[in-house]
Amino acid sequence: MAQDTKNKNKDSSSKTIRVEIIESIPSSFFIQDLEKIDTSKITTKDLEYQLKIITSLNSDEKLIKIDLELDAYLLKKGKSEEESLFGIKSHTIFRTPDFNKIVGKDEKLSAPDDFIRKLLNICIGGIRGMLSTKLTITELSNVTLPLLDLSSIKEVKEHKK
């Protein structure tokens, strides 16, 4: 029985990936001139969002950086406008002592999908709060970033620096 417990602990520790958030900050924010738009009628349902995700690694310091770029497009007659109404960029840096578990010898991210989705959820939660703070002082203070379904993300491409 003691041997079984030992094996279970060894299995769970080999699957565990420890991570800490080093930094999570907005790197830019913009909003179009709202005087041209009747903002009193805009709700979250009137917006379509585009999210760009860029990851990079720093092997020496065991860091993972995730940059998000979120743009919101106003929908008119079911189609989104070509120019975004507002947008925000953020970057989040994670450190992990388990770096070798998630990065292969080829220096590419090889973490399980669940792990990457968890990091993305942390980043998106952060950008949701950052966006809320930025929009609070505008006519779009009632707009919030909806929950995003990350199950459709098949692959996160890594950007080498």
Side-chain angles (χ1 to χ4, degrees), residues 42-44 47 49 86 131-132 135 140-145:
I42 296 177
T43 67
T44 300
L47 299 170
Y49 295 93
F86 60 84
L131 184 61
S132 176
L135 291 177
L140 297 175
S141 61
N142 62 320
V143 172
T144 58
L145 179 62

Side-chain angles (χ1 to χ4, degrees), residues 90-103:
S90 73
H91 75 264
T92 305
I93 300 173
F94 299 94
R95 180 178 325 182
T96 175
D98 301 317
F99 196 79
N100 295 336
K101 288 183 184 179
I102 60 169
V103 176

Side-chain angles (χ1 to χ4, degrees), residues 51-62:
L51 180 66
K52 293 179 187 170
I53 304 165
I54 300 170
T55 64
S56 58
L57 304 171
N58 179 327
S59 299
D60 295 336
E61 296 185 38
K62 300 182 179 186

Side-chain angles (χ1 to χ4, degrees), residues 16-74:
T16 301
I17 302 171
R18 297 167 292 163
V19 68
E20 67 177 306
I21 301 170
I22 302 299
E23 178 177 76
S24 184
I25 59 171
S27 56
S28 69
F29 172 76
F30 76 89
I31 191 165
Q32 296 298 331
D33 183 4
L34 297 177
E35 290 180 12
K36 302 174 188 174
I37 304 166
D38 182 6
T39 56
S40 65
K41 296 181 182 179
I42 296 177
T43 67
T44 300
K45 293 178 183 178
D46 299 315
L47 299 170
E48 181 176 83
Y49 295 93
Q50 180 183 56
L51 180 66
K52 293 179 187 170
I53 304 165
I54 300 170
T55 64
S56 58
L57 304 171
N58 179 327
S59 299
D60 295 336
E61 296 185 38
K62 300 182 179 186
L63 300 177
I64 303 166
K65 181 179 177 184
I66 299 178
D67 291 311
L68 298 182
E69 184 177 333
L70 179 76
D71 287 295
Y73 296 87
L74 187 59

Side-chain angles (χ1 to χ4, degrees), residues 73-74 80-84:
Y73 296 87
L74 187 59
S80 62
E81 290 191 348
E82 289 184 26
E83 192 174 4
S84 57

